[in-house]
Amino acid sequence: MMTGGNYTTIDDSQKVSGSVPSVPDPGHTTVKFAESNLQTFPPSATQGKISGGSNPPRDADDTFSGPGRSSTDEPHSGGWLHKFTVGAYKPFFDVDTSDVVDRLKESLFPFRGTFTEKTADKPDLYGPFWICTTLIFVAASIGTFVTYVAHKWKKQEWNYDINLVTWSAGVFYGYVTIIPLALYVVLKYFSAPSGLVQLFCLYGYSLFIFIPALCLSVVPVEIFRWVIAGVAGFMSATFVALNLKAHINSAGERSILIIASIFLLQLGLAVVLKLYLFTVTV
């Protein structure tokens, strides 16, 4: 075939009616792509997972998880408002039965003086609360039972005194709250500050000895009741004084006066309990 002075020869094998000449197959061709820097999803690391304790992914919204804060952390108020939340006092109730039992046993051996050392890292308010609550119940029930038996023994009319419950609650809750607060201020004044929660813990467990003492007060012998009240008061006062002695010694010359005041105040509590709870008058 001739076109514009150029000659093109077409073989008979290529003459196909109404079709384009076939293109020979070049064989298998490998196509190579440049290595991509795209990040796989989800990430192989634990970053950003709900179950993890690390920060969220970089492209995540930081509204609910700020820097240095785990996504599982509970939100809490800052400053003094945090003291009015339940989370602020949760660590002081994080004890198990074995912890409470060991501390109760420690209070029954006052001459060891190792209670503050064992509870320095983890003082609790769980034990003191239930000790005071149990004391209120025991004082009201034992006092009521003893007076009932005394009146019936003499065949006299007996009336239940509801004020025994409110009086017991005021004495035990008030003592274990006010005395540690006052002692905290005094120690801070003499440059021998102590943890307030640790003082609450110490004074709360120091009252445990009065629970069996109140139970033994059902014996209708006045001398025996005085002995029980005296022994319980002496053990409780020794427990508090010896556990605070090593700490209060840093207050200097006034340390002896402070320790003596703590001892006598605890004995005074025993005397008050004897006069109002251990004494039965008909």
Side-chain angles (χ1 to χ4, degrees):
M1 181 178 66
M2 181 176 62
T3 305
N6 297 327
Y7 294 90
T8 304
T9 304
I10 302 176
D11 296 338
D12 293 339
S13 61
Q14 295 177 354
K15 293 179 181 180
V16 180
S17 173
S19 63
V20 181
S22 62
V23 181
D25 187 7
H28 178 71
T29 303
T30 302
V31 180
K32 296 182 179 181
F33 293 94
E35 185 178 354
S36 175
N37 293 326
L38 296 177
Q39 183 181 0
T40 58
F41 184 85
S44 59
T46 58
Q47 185 177 7
K49 291 185 179 181
I50 296 177
S51 60
S54 57
N55 294 329
R58 294 178 181 178
D59 57 348
D61 185 10
D62 291 335
T63 304
F64 299 100
S65 182
R69 176 181 169 184
S70 173
S71 58
T72 58
D73 288 343
E74 297 180 358
H76 57 79
S77 304
W80 62 274
L81 291 176
H82 182 54
K83 301 298 182 181
F84 296 93
T85 61
V86 177
Y89 303 95
K90 183 179 179 180
F92 304 127
F93 292 85
D94 187 17
V95 290
D96 53 21
T97 304
S98 60
D99 293 332
V100 176
V101 171
D102 290 341
R103 296 177 182 188
L104 292 177
K105 292 179 180 178
E106 192 74 18
S107 67
L108 296 178
F109 298 93
F111 295 100
R112 292 178 179 177
T114 58
F115 182 85
T116 53
E117 296 179 3
K118 294 181 178 180
T119 60
D121 297 332
K122 193 177 179 181
D124 72 286
L125 298 177
Y126 180 87
F129 172 77
W130 283 110
I131 288 173
C132 291
T133 304
T134 305
L135 274 171
I136 294 170
F137 172 77
V138 171
S141 58
I142 295 296
T144 300
F145 175 75
V146 170
T147 55
Y148 173 79
V149 172
H151 282 76
K152 292 300 180 180
W153 183 264
K154 294 186 177 183
K155 297 181 180 180
Q156 296 184 6
E157 184 180 358
W158 173 81
N159 295 318
Y160 175 72
D161 187 9
I162 190 61
N163 293 326
L164 189 62
V165 177
T166 56
W167 187 89
S168 300
V171 168
F172 293 117
Y173 282 144
Y175 185 86
V176 84
T177 302
I178 296 175
I179 301 302
L181 278 173
L183 183 60
Y184 174 78
V185 175
V186 171
L187 293 179
K188 195 169 185 179
Y189 176 78
F190 288 108
S191 300
S194 178
L196 182 59
V197 177
Q198 194 167 5
L199 290 176
F200 285 142
C201 180
L202 176 64
Y203 271 86
Y205 281 99
S206 70
L207 300 182
F208 174 71
I209 188 62
F210 290 106
I211 295 179
L214 284 171
C215 294
L216 291 175
S217 67
V218 297
V219 178
V221 179
E222 189 67 14
I223 299 298
F224 179 78
R225 290 172 178 170
W226 271 109
V227 172
I228 292 298
V231 172
F234 178 79
M235 292 180 63
S236 179
T238 305
F239 173 73
V240 175
L242 289 183
N243 279 281
L244 289 176
K245 180 182 178 181
H247 181 75
I248 297 177
N249 283 337
S250 60
E253 299 177 354
R254 294 184 177 88
S255 60
I256 301 299
L257 180 61
I258 298 175
I259 296 173
S261 300
I262 293 173
F263 185 86
L264 293 177
L265 190 63
Q266 202 79 358
L267 282 181
L269 174 65
V271 174
V272 171
L273 293 179
K274 169 61 185 72
L275 294 177
Y276 288 93
L277 296 179
F278 290 80
T279 302
V280 180
T281 57
V282 180

